[in-house]
Amino acid sequence: PYTTLFRSGGTGTVILRYSAGQNIQTLAHGVGSTPSYIGVTLTAVSQAYAITALNATHFTVQIQNSQTGAAGDNQTIYWMAIK
Protein backbone atom coordinates (compact mmCIF):
# COMPACT_ATOMS: atom_id res chain seq x y z
CA PRO A 1 0.00 0.00 0.00
CA TYR A 2 2.96 2.40 0.14
CA THR A 3 6.28 2.94 -1.59
CA THR A 4 9.32 4.21 0.29
CA LEU A 5 11.06 6.87 -1.78
CA PHE A 6 13.71 7.72 0.81
CA ARG A 7 14.47 6.49 4.30
CA SER A 8 17.71 6.80 6.21
CA GLY A 9 18.05 6.63 9.97
CA GLY A 10 14.37 7.04 10.65
CA THR A 11 13.46 9.79 8.21
CA GLY A 12 11.64 9.45 4.97
CA THR A 13 9.13 10.25 2.33
CA VAL A 14 6.31 7.85 1.76
CA ILE A 15 3.60 7.87 -0.86
CA LEU A 16 0.39 6.48 0.57
CA ARG A 17 -2.04 5.01 -1.90
CA TYR A 18 -5.37 4.55 -0.16
CA SER A 19 -8.17 2.24 -1.10
CA ALA A 20 -11.63 3.80 -0.94
CA GLY A 21 -12.30 4.73 2.67
CA GLN A 22 -8.91 3.57 3.99
CA ASN A 23 -7.07 6.29 5.90
CA ILE A 24 -4.67 4.41 8.19
CA GLN A 25 -1.14 3.22 7.38
CA THR A 26 1.50 1.50 9.54
CA LEU A 27 5.10 2.39 8.69
CA ALA A 28 8.48 1.02 9.83
CA HIS A 29 10.55 3.86 11.31
CA GLY A 30 13.97 2.18 11.56
CA VAL A 31 15.07 3.94 14.77
CA GLY A 32 15.76 0.75 16.74
CA SER A 33 13.70 1.69 19.81
CA THR A 34 10.47 3.53 20.49
CA PRO A 35 10.98 7.09 19.20
CA SER A 36 10.41 10.04 21.52
CA TYR A 37 9.03 12.06 18.59
CA ILE A 38 7.37 11.38 15.24
CA GLY A 39 6.93 14.38 12.94
CA VAL A 40 4.66 14.22 9.90
CA THR A 41 4.09 16.78 7.16
CA LEU A 42 1.14 16.28 4.82
CA THR A 43 1.08 17.58 1.26
CA ALA A 44 -2.66 17.73 0.56
CA VAL A 45 -4.76 20.68 1.76
CA SER A 46 -7.54 20.35 4.35
CA GLN A 47 -6.01 17.21 5.85
CA ALA A 48 -5.20 16.29 9.44
CA TYR A 49 -3.25 13.41 10.92
CA ALA A 50 -2.84 11.55 14.19
CA ILE A 51 -0.21 9.05 15.30
CA THR A 52 -2.45 6.32 16.69
CA ALA A 53 0.20 3.72 17.62
CA LEU A 54 3.94 3.80 18.27
CA ASN A 55 6.40 1.09 19.25
CA ALA A 56 10.06 0.06 18.79
CA THR A 57 9.62 -0.82 15.11
CA HIS A 58 6.53 0.91 13.66
CA PHE A 59 4.16 3.83 13.95
CA THR A 60 0.63 4.15 12.66
CA VAL A 61 -0.58 7.35 11.06
CA GLN A 62 -4.24 8.11 10.39
CA ILE A 63 -5.10 10.82 7.87
CA GLN A 64 -8.49 12.41 7.42
CA ASN A 65 -10.13 15.38 5.79
CA SER A 66 -10.06 18.09 8.47
CA GLN A 67 -13.34 19.60 7.26
CA THR A 68 -15.51 16.52 6.75
CA GLY A 69 -13.79 13.81 8.83
CA ALA A 70 -13.76 11.50 5.78
CA ALA A 71 -10.73 9.40 4.85
CA GLY A 72 -7.71 11.44 3.79
CA ASP A 73 -6.68 12.03 0.20
CA ASN A 74 -3.92 10.16 -1.65
CA GLN A 75 -0.77 12.16 -1.00
CA THR A 76 2.91 12.17 -0.24
CA ILE A 77 3.79 12.49 3.42
CA TYR A 78 7.17 13.44 4.84
CA TRP A 79 8.05 12.01 8.21
CA MET A 80 10.81 11.91 10.76
CA ALA A 81 11.39 9.76 13.85
CA ILE A 82 13.66 10.92 16.68
CA LYS A 83 15.04 8.41 19.16
Coordinates of all heavy atoms in Angstrom, one line a residue:
P1 N 0.8 -1.2 0.0 CA 0.0 0.0 0.0 C 0.8 1.3 0.0 O 0.3 2.3 -0.2 CB -0.8 -0.1 1.3 CG -0.1 -1.1 2.1 CD 0.7 -2.0 1.2
Y2 N 2.1 1.2 0.2 CA 3.0 2.4 0.1 C 4.3 2.1 -0.5 O 4.7 0.9 -0.6 CB 3.2 3.0 1.5 CG 4.0 2.2 2.5 CD1 5.4 2.4 2.5 CD2 3.4 1.3 3.3 CE1 6.2 1.6 3.4 CE2 4.2 0.5 4.2 CZ 5.6 0.7 4.2 OH 6.3 0.0 5.1
T3 N 5.0 3.1 -1.0 CA 6.3 2.9 -1.6 C 7.2 3.9 -0.9 O 7.0 5.1 -0.8 CB 6.2 3.3 -3.1 OG1 5.3 2.5 -3.7 CG2 7.6 3.1 -3.7
T4 N 8.3 3.4 -0.4 CA 9.3 4.2 0.3 C 10.2 4.8 -0.8 O 10.9 4.1 -1.5 CB 10.2 3.4 1.3 OG1 9.3 2.8 2.2 CG2 11.2 4.3 2.0
L5 N 10.2 6.2 -0.8 CA 11.1 6.9 -1.8 C 12.4 7.2 -1.2 O 13.4 7.2 -1.9 CB 10.4 8.2 -2.2 CG 9.0 8.0 -2.9 CD1 8.5 9.4 -3.2 CD2 9.1 7.2 -4.1
F6 N 12.5 7.4 0.1 CA 13.7 7.7 0.8 C 13.5 7.4 2.3 O 12.5 7.8 2.9 CB 14.1 9.2 0.6 CG 15.2 9.6 1.5 CD1 16.5 9.4 1.1 CD2 15.0 10.3 2.7 CE1 17.6 9.8 1.9 CE2 16.1 10.7 3.5 CZ 17.4 10.4 3.1
R7 N 14.5 6.7 2.8 CA 14.5 6.5 4.3 C 15.9 6.2 4.7 O 16.6 5.3 4.2 CB 13.6 5.3 4.7 CG 13.5 5.2 6.2 CD 12.4 4.2 6.6 NE 12.8 2.9 6.4 CZ 13.7 2.2 7.1 NH1 14.3 2.7 8.1 NH2 14.0 0.9 6.8
S8 N 16.4 7.0 5.7 CA 17.7 6.8 6.2 C 17.7 7.2 7.7 O 17.4 8.4 8.0 CB 18.7 7.6 5.4 OG 20.0 7.6 6.0
G9 N 18.0 6.3 8.6 CA 18.1 6.6 10.0 C 16.8 7.1 10.5 O 16.7 8.0 11.4
G10 N 15.6 6.7 10.1 CA 14.4 7.0 10.7 C 13.8 8.3 10.1 O 13.0 9.0 10.7
T11 N 14.1 8.7 8.9 CA 13.5 9.8 8.2 C 13.0 9.3 6.8 O 13.6 8.4 6.3 CB 14.4 11.0 8.0 OG1 15.5 10.6 7.2 CG2 14.9 11.5 9.4
G12 N 12.0 9.9 6.3 CA 11.6 9.4 5.0 C 10.5 10.2 4.3 O 9.9 11.0 4.9
T13 N 10.2 9.8 3.1 CA 9.1 10.3 2.3 C 8.4 9.0 1.9 O 9.0 8.1 1.4 CB 9.6 11.0 1.1 OG1 10.4 12.1 1.5 CG2 8.5 11.5 0.3
V14 N 7.1 9.0 2.1 CA 6.3 7.8 1.8 C 5.1 8.3 1.0 O 4.5 9.3 1.3 CB 5.8 7.1 3.0 CG1 4.9 5.9 2.7 CG2 7.0 6.7 3.9
I15 N 4.8 7.6 -0.1 CA 3.6 7.9 -0.9 C 2.6 6.9 -0.4 O 2.8 5.7 -0.4 CB 3.8 7.7 -2.4 CG1 4.7 8.8 -2.9 CG2 2.5 7.8 -3.1 CD1 5.0 8.7 -4.4
L16 N 1.5 7.4 0.1 CA 0.4 6.5 0.6 C -0.6 6.4 -0.5 O -1.1 7.4 -1.0 CB -0.3 7.0 1.8 CG 0.7 7.2 3.1 CD1 -0.1 7.7 4.2 CD2 1.3 5.9 3.4
R17 N -1.0 5.2 -0.9 CA -2.0 5.0 -1.9 C -3.2 4.3 -1.2 O -3.1 3.2 -0.8 CB -1.5 4.1 -3.0 CG -0.4 4.8 -3.8 CD 0.0 3.9 -5.0 NE 1.0 4.6 -5.7 CZ 2.3 4.4 -5.5 NH1 2.8 3.6 -4.6 NH2 3.2 5.0 -6.3
Y18 N -4.3 5.1 -0.9 CA -5.4 4.5 -0.2 C -6.4 3.9 -1.0 O -6.7 4.4 -2.1 CB -6.1 5.7 0.6 CG -5.2 6.3 1.7 CD1 -4.8 7.6 1.6 CD2 -4.8 5.5 2.7 CE1 -4.0 8.1 2.6 CE2 -4.0 6.0 3.7 CZ -3.6 7.4 3.7 OH -2.8 7.9 4.6
S19 N -7.0 2.8 -0.5 CA -8.2 2.2 -1.1 C -9.3 3.1 -0.7 O -9.2 3.9 0.2 CB -8.4 0.8 -0.6 OG -7.3 0.0 -0.8
A20 N -10.5 3.0 -1.3 CA -11.6 3.8 -0.9 C -11.9 3.6 0.5 O -12.1 2.5 1.0 CB -12.8 3.4 -1.8
G21 N -12.0 4.7 1.3 CA -12.3 4.7 2.7 C -11.2 4.4 3.6 O -11.3 4.4 4.8
Q22 N -10.0 3.9 3.1 CA -8.9 3.6 4.0 C -8.1 4.8 4.3 O -7.6 5.5 3.4 CB -8.0 2.5 3.3 CG -6.9 2.1 4.2 CD -6.0 1.0 3.5 OE1 -6.2 0.7 2.4 NE2 -5.0 0.6 4.3
N23 N -7.8 5.1 5.6 CA -7.1 6.3 5.9 C -6.0 6.0 7.0 O -5.6 6.9 7.7 CB -8.0 7.4 6.3 CG -8.8 7.1 7.6 OD1 -8.9 5.9 8.0 ND2 -9.4 8.1 8.2
I24 N -5.6 4.8 7.2 CA -4.7 4.4 8.2 C -3.5 3.6 7.5 O -3.8 2.7 6.7 CB -5.3 3.6 9.3 CG1 -6.4 4.4 10.0 CG2 -4.3 3.1 10.3 CD1 -7.3 3.6 11.0
Q25 N -2.3 4.0 7.9 CA -1.1 3.2 7.4 C -0.1 3.0 8.5 O 0.2 3.9 9.2 CB -0.5 4.0 6.2 CG 0.6 3.3 5.6 CD 0.1 2.0 4.9 OE1 -0.8 2.0 4.1 NE2 0.7 0.9 5.2
T26 N 0.4 1.8 8.6 CA 1.5 1.5 9.5 C 2.8 1.5 8.8 O 2.9 0.9 7.7 CB 1.3 0.1 10.2 OG1 0.0 0.2 10.9 CG2 2.4 -0.2 11.2
L27 N 3.8 2.2 9.3 CA 5.1 2.4 8.7 C 6.2 2.0 9.6 O 6.2 2.2 10.8 CB 5.3 3.9 8.3 CG 4.2 4.5 7.5 CD1 4.4 6.0 7.4 CD2 4.3 3.9 6.1
A28 N 7.3 1.4 9.1 CA 8.5 1.0 9.8 C 9.3 2.3 9.9 O 9.6 2.9 8.9 CB 9.2 -0.1 9.1
H29 N 9.8 2.6 11.1 CA 10.5 3.9 11.3 C 12.1 3.7 11.3 O 12.8 4.6 11.1 CB 10.1 4.6 12.6 CG 10.1 3.9 13.8 ND1 11.3 3.4 14.4 CD2 9.1 3.5 14.6 CE1 11.0 2.8 15.5 NE2 9.7 2.8 15.7
G30 N 12.6 2.5 11.6 CA 14.0 2.2 11.6 C 14.9 2.8 12.6 O 16.1 2.8 12.5
V31 N 14.3 3.3 13.7 CA 15.1 3.9 14.8 C 15.7 2.9 15.7 O 16.8 3.2 16.2 CB 14.2 4.9 15.6 CG1 14.9 5.5 16.8 CG2 13.7 6.1 14.7
G32 N 15.2 1.8 15.9 CA 15.8 0.7 16.7 C 15.2 0.7 18.2 O 15.5 -0.2 18.9
S33 N 14.4 1.7 18.5 CA 13.7 1.7 19.8 C 12.5 2.6 19.6 O 12.4 3.2 18.6 CB 14.6 2.2 20.9 OG 15.0 3.5 20.7
T34 N 11.6 2.7 20.6 CA 10.5 3.5 20.5 C 10.9 5.0 20.4 O 11.6 5.5 21.3 CB 9.5 3.3 21.7 OG1 9.1 1.9 21.7 CG2 8.2 4.2 21.5
P35 N 10.6 5.7 19.3 CA 11.0 7.1 19.2 C 10.3 8.0 20.3 O 9.2 7.7 20.7 CB 10.5 7.5 17.8 CG 10.2 6.2 17.1 CD 9.9 5.2 18.2
S36 N 11.0 9.1 20.6 CA 10.4 10.0 21.5 C 9.6 11.0 20.7 O 8.8 11.8 21.3 CB 11.5 10.8 22.3 OG 12.4 11.5 21.4
Y37 N 9.8 11.1 19.4 CA 9.0 12.1 18.6 C 8.8 11.5 17.2 O 9.8 10.9 16.6 CB 9.8 13.4 18.5 CG 9.3 14.4 17.6 CD1 8.2 15.2 17.9 CD2 9.8 14.5 16.3 CE1 7.7 16.1 17.0 CE2 9.3 15.4 15.4 CZ 8.2 16.2 15.8 OH 7.7 17.2 14.9
I38 N 7.7 11.7 16.6 CA 7.4 11.4 15.2 C 6.8 12.7 14.7 O 5.8 13.2 15.2 CB 6.3 10.3 15.1 CG1 6.8 8.9 15.6 CG2 5.9 10.1 13.6 CD1 7.8 8.2 14.7
G39 N 7.4 13.2 13.6 CA 6.9 14.4 12.9 C 6.4 14.0 11.6 O 7.1 13.2 10.9
V40 N 5.3 14.5 11.2 CA 4.7 14.2 9.9 C 4.3 15.5 9.2 O 3.7 16.4 9.9 CB 3.4 13.3 10.1 CG1 2.7 13.1 8.7 CG2 3.8 12.0 10.7
T41 N 4.6 15.6 8.0 CA 4.1 16.8 7.2 C 3.2 16.2 6.0 O 3.7 15.4 5.3 CB 5.3 17.6 6.6 OG1 6.1 18.1 7.7 CG2 4.8 18.8 5.7
L42 N 2.0 16.7 5.9 CA 1.1 16.3 4.8 C 1.3 17.2 3.6 O 1.6 18.4 3.8 CB -0.3 16.3 5.3 CG -0.6 15.5 6.6 CD1 -2.0 15.6 7.0 CD2 -0.2 14.0 6.4
T43 N 1.0 16.7 2.5 CA 1.1 17.6 1.3 C -0.3 18.0 0.6 O -0.3 18.8 -0.3 CB 2.0 16.9 0.2 OG1 1.4 15.6 -0.1 CG2 3.4 16.7 0.7
A44 N -1.3 17.4 1.1 CA -2.7 17.7 0.6 C -3.3 18.7 1.5 O -3.1 18.7 2.7 CB -3.5 16.5 0.4
V45 N -4.1 19.7 0.9 CA -4.8 20.7 1.8 C -6.0 20.1 2.5 O -6.5 19.1 2.1 CB -5.2 21.9 0.9 CG1 -4.0 22.6 0.3 CG2 -6.2 21.5 -0.2
S46 N -6.4 20.7 3.6 CA -7.5 20.3 4.4 C -7.4 18.9 4.9 O -8.4 18.2 4.9 CB -8.8 20.5 3.5 OG -9.0 21.9 3.2
Q47 N -6.2 18.5 5.3 CA -6.0 17.2 5.9 C -5.5 17.3 7.3 O -4.8 18.3 7.6 CB -5.0 16.4 5.0 CG -5.3 16.3 3.5 CD -6.5 15.4 3.3 OE1 -6.4 14.2 3.4 NE2 -7.6 16.0 2.9
A48 N -5.7 16.3 8.1 CA -5.2 16.3 9.4 C -4.7 14.9 9.7 O -5.1 13.9 9.0 CB -6.3 16.6 10.4
Y49 N -3.8 14.7 10.6 CA -3.2 13.4 10.9 C -3.2 13.2 12.4 O -3.1 14.1 13.2 CB -1.9 13.2 10.3 CG -0.7 13.8 11.0 CD1 0.0 13.1 12.0 CD2 -0.3 15.1 10.8 CE1 1.0 13.7 12.7 CE2 0.7 15.7 11.5 CZ 1.4 15.0 12.5 OH 2.4 15.6 13.2
A50 N -3.1 11.9 12.8 CA -2.8 11.6 14.2 C -2.0 10.3 14.2 O -2.1 9.4 13.3 CB -4.1 11.2 14.9
I51 N -1.0 10.3 15.1 CA -0.2 9.0 15.3 C -1.0 8.2 16.3 O -1.2 8.6 17.4 CB 1.2 9.4 15.9 CG1 2.0 10.3 14.9 CG2 2.0 8.1 16.1 CD1 2.2 9.8 13.5
T52 N -1.5 7.1 15.9 CA -2.4 6.3 16.7 C -1.8 5.1 17.4 O -2.4 4.5 18.2 CB -3.7 5.8 15.9 OG1 -3.2 5.1 14.8 CG2 -4.4 7.0 15.3
A53 N -0.6 4.8 17.0 CA 0.2 3.7 17.6 C 1.7 4.0 17.4 O 2.1 4.5 16.3 CB -0.2 2.4 17.1
L54 N 2.5 3.6 18.4 CA 3.9 3.8 18.3 C 4.6 2.7 19.1 O 4.3 2.5 20.3 CB 4.3 5.2 18.8 CG 5.7 5.6 18.9 CD1 6.4 5.6 17.5 CD2 5.8 7.0 19.5
N55 N 5.6 2.1 18.5 CA 6.4 1.1 19.2 C 7.8 1.1 18.7 O 8.2 2.0 18.0 CB 5.8 -0.3 19.2 CG 5.7 -0.9 17.8 OD1 6.6 -0.7 17.0 ND2 4.6 -1.7 17.5
A56 N 8.6 0.1 19.1 CA 10.1 0.1 18.8 C 10.3 -0.2 17.3 O 11.5 0.1 16.9 CB 10.7 -1.0 19.6
T57 N 9.4 -0.5 16.5 CA 9.6 -0.8 15.1 C 8.7 -0.1 14.1 O 9.1 0.2 13.0 CB 9.5 -2.3 14.8 OG1 8.2 -2.8 15.2 CG2 10.5 -3.1 15.5
H58 N 7.5 0.3 14.6 CA 6.5 0.9 13.7 C 5.8 2.1 14.3 O 5.7 2.2 15.5 CB 5.5 -0.1 13.2 CG 6.1 -1.2 12.4 ND1 6.7 -2.3 13.0 CD2 6.1 -1.4 11.1 CE1 7.1 -3.1 12.0 NE2 6.8 -2.6 10.8
F59 N 5.2 2.9 13.5 CA 4.2 3.8 13.9 C 3.0 3.8 13.0 O 3.1 3.4 11.8 CB 4.7 5.2 14.1 CG 5.1 5.9 12.8 CD1 4.2 6.8 12.2 CD2 6.3 5.8 12.2 CE1 4.5 7.5 11.0 CE2 6.6 6.4 11.0 CZ 5.7 7.3 10.5
T60 N 1.8 4.1 13.5 CA 0.6 4.1 12.7 C 0.1 5.6 12.5 O 0.0 6.3 13.5 CB -0.5 3.3 13.3 OG1 0.0 1.9 13.4 CG2 -1.7 3.3 12.4
V61 N -0.1 6.0 11.3 CA -0.6 7.4 11.1 C -2.0 7.2 10.4 O -2.2 6.4 9.6 CB 0.4 8.2 10.2 CG1 0.6 7.5 8.8 CG2 -0.1 9.6 10.0
Q62 N -2.9 8.0 10.9 CA -4.2 8.1 10.4 C -4.4 9.5 9.8 O -4.1 10.5 10.5 CB -5.3 7.9 11.5 CG -6.7 8.0 11.0 CD -7.7 7.6 12.0 OE1 -7.4 7.2 13.1 NE2 -9.0 7.8 11.7
I63 N -4.9 9.6 8.6 CA -5.1 10.8 7.9 C -6.6 11.0 7.5 O -7.2 10.0 7.1 CB -4.3 10.9 6.6 CG1 -2.8 10.8 6.9 CG2 -4.5 12.2 5.8 CD1 -1.9 10.7 5.7
Q64 N -7.1 12.2 7.8 CA -8.5 12.4 7.4 C -8.7 13.8 6.9 O -7.8 14.7 7.2 CB -9.4 12.1 8.6 CG -9.3 13.1 9.7 CD -10.2 12.8 10.9 OE1 -10.5 11.6 11.1 NE2 -10.7 13.8 11.6
N65 N -9.8 14.0 6.2 CA -10.1 15.4 5.8 C -10.5 16.2 7.0 O -11.4 15.8 7.8 CB -11.3 15.3 4.8 CG -11.7 16.6 4.2 OD1 -12.1 17.5 5.0 ND2 -11.5 16.8 2.9
S66 N -9.8 17.3 7.2 CA -10.1 18.1 8.5 C -11.4 18.8 8.5 O -11.8 19.3 9.5 CB -8.9 19.1 8.7 OG -8.8 20.0 7.6
Q67 N -12.1 18.9 7.3 CA -13.3 19.6 7.3 C -14.5 18.6 7.4 O -15.5 19.0 8.0 CB -13.4 20.4 6.0 CG -12.4 21.5 5.9 CD -12.4 22.3 4.6 OE1 -13.0 21.8 3.6 NE2 -11.7 23.4 4.6
T68 N -14.4 17.4 6.8 CA -15.5 16.5 6.8 C -15.3 15.3 7.7 O -16.3 14.6 8.0 CB -15.8 16.0 5.3 OG1 -14.6 15.2 4.9 CG2 -15.9 17.1 4.3
G69 N -14.1 15.0 8.0 CA -13.8 13.8 8.8 C -13.7 12.5 8.0 O -13.5 11.5 8.5
A70 N -13.9 12.7 6.7 CA -13.8 11.5 5.8 C -12.3 11.1 5.7 O -11.4 11.8 6.1 CB -14.3 11.9 4.4
A71 N -12.1 9.9 5.1 CA -10.7 9.4 4.9 C -9.9 10.4 4.1 O -10.4 11.1 3.2 CB -10.8 8.1 4.1
G72 N -8.6 10.5 4.4 CA -7.7 11.4 3.8 C -7.5 11.1 2.3 O -7.7 10.0 1.8
D73 N -7.0 12.2 1.6 CA -6.7 12.0 0.2 C -5.4 11.3 0.0 O -4.5 11.3 0.8 CB -6.5 13.4 -0.4 CG -7.8 14.2 -0.4 OD1 -8.9 13.6 -0.3 OD2 -7.8 15.5 -0.4
N74 N -5.2 10.7 -1.2 CA -3.9 10.2 -1.7 C -2.9 11.3 -1.7 O -3.2 12.4 -2.2 CB -4.0 9.6 -3.1 CG -4.9 8.3 -3.1 OD1 -5.2 7.7 -2.1 ND2 -5.2 8.0 -4.3
Q75 N -1.7 11.1 -1.1 CA -0.8 12.2 -1.0 C 0.6 11.6 -0.6 O 0.7 10.5 -0.1 CB -1.2 13.2 0.0 CG -1.3 12.7 1.4 CD -2.0 13.7 2.4 OE1 -1.3 14.6 2.7 NE2 -3.2 13.4 2.7
T76 N 1.6 12.5 -0.8 CA 2.9 12.2 -0.2 C 3.0 12.7 1.2 O 2.5 13.8 1.4 CB 4.0 12.8 -1.1 OG1 3.9 12.3 -2.4 CG2 5.4 12.6 -0.6
I77 N 3.5 12.0 2.1 CA 3.8 12.5 3.4 C 5.3 12.4 3.7 O 6.0 11.6 3.2 CB 3.0 11.7 4.5 CG1 3.5 10.3 4.7 CG2 1.5 11.8 4.3 CD1 3.0 9.6 6.0
Y78 N 5.8 13.4 4.4 CA 7.2 13.4 4.8 C 7.2 13.2 6.3 O 6.3 13.7 7.1 CB 7.8 14.8 4.5 CG 7.8 15.2 3.1 CD1 6.7 15.9 2.5 CD2 8.8 14.7 2.2 CE1 6.7 16.2 1.2 CE2 8.8 15.0 0.9 CZ 7.7 15.7 0.4 OH 7.7 16.0 -1.0
W79 N 8.1 12.3 6.8 CA 8.1 12.0 8.2 C 9.5 11.9 8.8 O 10.4 11.7 8.0 CB 7.3 10.7 8.5 CG 7.8 9.5 7.8 CD1 7.4 9.0 6.6 CD2 8.7 8.6 8.4 NE1 8.1 7.9 6.3 CE2 8.9 7.6 7.4 CE3 9.4 8.5 9.5 CZ2 9.8 6.5 7.6 CZ3 10.3 7.4 9.7 CH2 10.4 6.4 8.8
M80 N 9.5 12.0 10.1 CA 10.8 11.9 10.8 C 10.6 11.3 12.1 O 9.6 11.6 12.8 CB 11.4 13.3 10.9 CG 12.3 13.6 12.0 SD 13.0 15.2 11.9 CE 11.9 16.1 12.9
A81 N 11.5 10.4 12.5 CA 11.4 9.8 13.9 C 12.7 10.1 14.6 O 13.8 10.0 14.1 CB 11.3 8.2 13.7
I82 N 12.5 10.6 15.8 CA 13.7 10.9 16.7 C 13.7 10.0 17.9 O 12.7 9.8 18.6 CB 13.6 12.4 17.1 CG1 13.6 13.3 15.9 CG2 14.7 12.7 18.1 CD1 13.4 14.8 16.3
K83 N 14.8 9.4 18.1 CA 15.0 8.4 19.2 C 15.0 9.1 20.5 O 15.3 10.1 20.8 CB 16.4 7.7 19.0 CG 16.6 6.5 19.8 CD 17.8 5.8 19.4 CE 17.9 4.5 20.0 NZ 19.1 3.8 19.6

